[in-house]
Amino acid sequence: MRLSEDKKLVFKNIIFLGLMQGANYILPFITIPYLVRTIGIDKYGLVAFAQSFAAYFVIFTDYGFSLSATKLISINRNDSKKISEIFSSVLYVKLAFVIFSMIISTIIIFSFKKFYNEYEIFYFSLLVLIGQMLFPVWLFQGLEKMKYITLTNILIKLIFTLCIFVFIKQEKDYLYVPLINSLGFLIGGLIAFYIAIKQFNISLTFSFENIKHQLLEGWHLFLALLSTNIYRNANTFFLGLVSTNTAVGYYALTSKIVMSLQALMSPIGQSLYPHLSKKYHNISKKDAVKNLFSIARYYVLILFLIMLFVFVFSGFIIKIISAKPMPEAVIDMRVLSFVILFGSFNYLFGTIGLINLNFERYFTKSIVFVSIFDIIICLILGYFLKDLGASIAFSLTEFILFILVLNKILRIKNG
């Protein structure tokens, strides 16, 4: 009966996370065709470049808490005092990191002409940091109580998606795109923060020892997430350094489509993470790996079908979104379709598997290695092949990481 209840809880959280991911990925995805046609591919590329710049600081302020704090909350879910300590420590660290990020980003913006000429769009994009700081998804995920914030998140995202269609009418309105996006995150963050405090009776406490503990807990996961986001999200930024806004627009458009489709699997993975954190804490590593492979059997068919769909119908998808043929974007999307398969398995075997089995260091080293590889390849291929070069770099990086992660999992299984 207990197992049945656990399965019901996981299934419920998959549903709620699926709805929230729909708000986070599908609703913005709806606006892509409108934005490409209204502000043009060049300005769309500029917006994507500014948002990728802000994404670096989002990763920094998150500091791996989306995994480390989720794991700690899941393990200590029945200890309200411990939950308050974790919540408070994470909040204070995030606040300090947001302040530091704004200082560093200001120095960068006013030091380089490429940034200073469009400083408004970079600051509008950076406002998302405050919303991300306040939105404790890791708390709700660790407690497996996603229903409390899902409907609120959907409502907020829906309102601000409609704002795109209301306020973005011509090319010069491109500045308001990141502002609308950031305001959505900010209001959503405030509501989620209020729900967390009231619903779970959290009291804010301050302890240098607890803050130090959270920093140590999150360090390796911070390096892993930072490195992951370098090749998953920041290729847009690196491409913008060596190529044109138009090339950035093609790459940003296709990578966003591919990652939105890949996100169809995210609710499953994110629901399994806290559930298996608790489960793998009480069984042997070999049994845990066997469980991972049993889950992987269901992943293969679904991922392959999604990948095949993207590869075959890429031309049709691009034409619907842009209202005109974009052969460069079609080629990019076909190259990036392999990310759907390898990227999802990297999350399953790496994040859910290796991290929950306490192999954070190996996973982190692997990601750091492939991220350095990605930066070098993206800059070189991006310079010569533009958007296609960035697409090749992304897919190749995911494949190499898949080989490294699978090799470690098999060694655990056979060891």
Side-chain angles (χ1 to χ4, degrees):
M1 182 65 181
R2 179 61 185 169
L3 183 61
S4 175
E5 289 300 316
D6 282 345
K7 286 182 177 180
K8 286 180 182 178
L9 184 59
V10 172
F11 181 74
K12 282 170 62 178
N13 281 289
I14 288 174
I15 297 298
F16 288 124
L17 273 165
L19 291 171
M20 195 164 77
Q21 288 288 5
N24 290 337
Y25 286 95
I26 297 175
L27 289 178
F29 181 75
I30 292 172
T31 65
I32 292 176
Y34 180 76
L35 289 174
V36 170
R37 298 172 194 179
T38 305
I39 65 175
I41 193 69
D42 185 73
K43 293 301 184 187
Y44 180 79
L46 177 60
V47 170
F49 179 65
Q51 290 178 333
S52 68
F53 173 73
Y56 272 120
F57 296 101
V58 170
I59 301 161
F60 174 64
T61 55
D62 181 72
Y63 192 73
F65 293 135
S66 60
L67 295 177
S68 64
T70 298
K71 184 176 179 180
L72 288 173
I73 291 290
S74 179
I75 293 171
N76 297 282
R77 64 179 65 189
N78 296 318
D79 188 339
S80 58
K81 182 182 177 182
K82 189 69 177 176
I83 289 174
S84 290
E85 290 176 356
I86 296 169
F87 183 91
S88 301
S89 300
V90 170
L91 179 65
Y92 293 137
V93 172
K94 279 177 167 282
L95 176 60
F97 284 176
V98 166
I99 295 171
F100 181 74
S101 295
M102 294 304 295
I103 294 171
I104 295 299
S105 60
T106 297
I107 293 172
I108 294 173
I109 289 169
F110 287 94
S111 296
F112 299 95
K113 186 177 179 181
K114 186 178 182 71
F115 293 88
Y116 177 70
N117 285 345
E118 297 279 359
Y119 71 91
E120 299 103 323
I121 199 170
F122 289 101
Y123 277 118
F124 287 160
S125 298
L126 286 164
L127 287 175
V128 75
L129 292 177
I130 302 172
Q132 291 280 23
M133 175 191 72
L134 293 171
F135 207 122
V137 176
W138 47 270
L139 173 70
F140 295 97
Q141 193 175 340
L143 292 172
E144 298 186 80
K145 302 285 186 181
M146 295 304 299
K147 67 180 181 180
Y148 291 108
I149 57 170
T150 297
L151 295 179
T152 300
N153 187 66
I154 291 173
L155 179 61
I156 294 295
K157 290 292 169 46
L158 182 60
I159 291 172
F160 283 90
T161 297
L162 292 174
C163 285
I164 292 288
F165 294 100
V166 172
F167 295 106
I168 310 299
K169 295 295 186 181
Q170 50 191 321
E171 183 179 313
K172 68 178 183 180
D173 295 333
Y174 72 94
L175 276 174
Y176 303 125
V177 176
L179 178 60
I180 290 171
N181 179 64
S182 293
L183 287 175
F185 274 98
L186 180 58
I187 294 175
L190 286 168
I191 294 173
F193 185 83
Y194 176 81
I195 292 173
I197 295 292
K198 292 296 182 182
Q199 185 65 43
F200 305 118
N201 297 316
I202 290 184
S203 55
L204 295 178
T205 60
F206 186 87
S207 167
F208 281 113
E209 191 63 32
N210 289 335
I211 290 174
K212 179 183 176 182
H213 178 69
Q214 292 303 323
L215 288 170
L216 292 174
E217 280 287 325
W219 172 245
H220 288 290
L221 297 176
F222 165 64
L223 290 179
L225 288 173
L226 174 62
S227 302
T228 298
N229 279 276
I230 284 176
Y231 72 83
R232 287 191 67 81
N233 298 317
N235 273 8
T236 303
F237 177 77
F238 290 122
L239 182 61
L241 295 177
V242 297
S243 192
T244 64
N245 284 339
T246 301
V248 173
Y250 287 140
Y251 176 77
L253 174 65
T254 52
S255 62
K256 186 168 287 188
I257 293 170
V258 167
M259 285 193 281
S260 295
L261 290 170
Q262 186 187 7
L264 293 172
M265 298 296 289
S266 294
I268 299 175
Q270 290 176 351
S271 297
L272 286 173
Y273 179 78
H275 175 72
L276 296 180
S277 291
K278 183 175 59 176
K279 181 176 181 177
Y280 291 176
H281 191 65
N282 300 311
I283 63 175
S284 70
K285 287 181 170 57
K286 284 189 176 183
D287 287 338
V289 171
K290 288 179 181 178
N291 179 253
L292 273 178
F293 276 108
S294 66
I295 296 171
R297 287 182 303 186
Y298 297 100
Y299 262 57
V300 171
L301 180 59
I302 299 172
L303 290 171
F304 182 77
L305 289 175
I306 297 173
M307 182 186 73
L308 187 63
F309 172 81
V310 173
F311 189 90
V312 173
F313 295 102
S314 54
F316 177 71
I317 295 170
I318 292 295
K319 192 171 182 179
I320 288 177
I321 291 173
S322 63
K324 60 180 180 180
M326 286 185 179
E328 298 92 343
V330 173
I331 296 172
D332 291 340
M333 185 175 288
R334 284 177 177 161
V335 172
L336 288 170
S337 65
F338 295 97
V339 169
I340 293 171
L341 181 64
F342 297 122
S344 297
F345 272 113
N346 287 336
Y347 187 88
L348 176 65
F349 289 133
T351 303
I352 296 177
L354 293 181
I355 290 177
N356 278 328
L357 293 173
N358 298 317
F359 287 101
E360 294 100 332
R361 291 192 177 187
Y362 176 86
F363 189 45
T364 299
K365 288 178 181 178
S366 299
I367 295 177
V368 169
F369 169 76
V370 298
S371 297
I372 293 171
F373 170 82
D374 176 76
I375 293 172
I376 296 170
I377 296 299
C378 184
L379 289 172
I380 294 172
L381 295 183
Y383 180 80
F384 290 105
L385 301 177
K386 297 182 179 179
D387 45 287
L388 178 58
S391 300
I392 293 171
F394 190 2
S395 292
L396 189 58
T397 299
E398 286 283 20
F399 174 71
I400 294 172
L401 180 61
F402 172 72
I403 297 299
L404 293 172
V405 169
L406 182 62
N407 178 59
K408 183 65 175 179
I409 289 291
L410 290 174
R411 276 159 49 196
I412 296 170
K413 181 176 181 287
N414 299 323

